[in-house]
Amino acid sequence: MPRPAAFASQRPVPADAPEPLPEPERDALRLEVVMGALSDPLRMRIVRTLLLESDEFDHACGWFGLDRPKSSLTHHFRTLREAGLIRQRQYGLERRSHVRIEDLEARFPGLLAVVADSRE
């Protein structure tokens, strides 16, 4: 299984990055909520893609190439953010996301390695 340091999305926050949208604090992350968010195959794919293929600090919805209505994608990304799996920032009209690696590894060690190693 990959180690957290090997995840592609672990990059420093750019100096000009907007503040994150509301999300649960690290200590408030709950395993049942995180697992519930990951129970949807599309959401699992989003997190896995961010972990393994991210080539920038964060990514807009269009980067994933998902053939879903915008309203559906908004729902899935909001579910991931509210569960504490991803952090989103508003850049003008688009929201960009990345995985909260440090917070998730601190609360649930090894969980992201399992997600990264999962197969669709």
Side-chain angles (χ1 to χ4, degrees):
M1 286 187 199
R3 309 265 332 146
F7 294 144
S9 63
Q10 201 166 22
R11 291 177 168 68
V13 179
D16 62 344
E19 288 297 311
L21 296 173
E23 62 187 30
E25 296 293 326
R26 177 187 287 188
D27 293 340
L29 296 177
R30 296 176 39 202
L31 184 59
E32 68 272 18
V33 176
V34 168
M35 296 302 287
L38 291 173
S39 69
D40 181 276
L42 179 63
R43 293 193 290 262
M44 176 75 98
R45 179 176 163 197
I46 289 168
V47 173
R48 188 172 188 278
T49 300
L50 281 170
L51 284 173
L52 299 177
E53 300 176 23
S54 189
D55 57 4
E56 295 181 19
F57 170 69
D58 53 10
H59 293 278
C61 294
W63 175 76
F64 296 88
L66 302 170
D67 187 24
R68 300 286 170 92
K70 185 176 180 179
S71 60
S72 173
L73 291 176
T74 298
H75 164 74
H76 288 294
F77 279 91
R78 183 179 64 242
T79 299
L80 290 169
R81 178 174 48 86
E82 290 176 351
L85 283 153
I86 64 171
R87 175 164 290 141
Q88 289 188 302
R89 288 180 161 81
Q90 189 79 36
Y91 291 82
L93 296 177
E94 74 181 6
R95 289 184 177 178
R96 297 183 193 169
S97 308
H98 67 270
V99 178
R100 293 175 60 182
I101 294 172
E102 289 182 19
D103 292 338
L104 291 161
E105 281 298 312
R107 285 288 283 153
F108 314 113
L111 175 66
L112 293 178
V114 172
V115 171
D117 195 44
S118 70
R119 302 286 178 247
E120 290 183 33

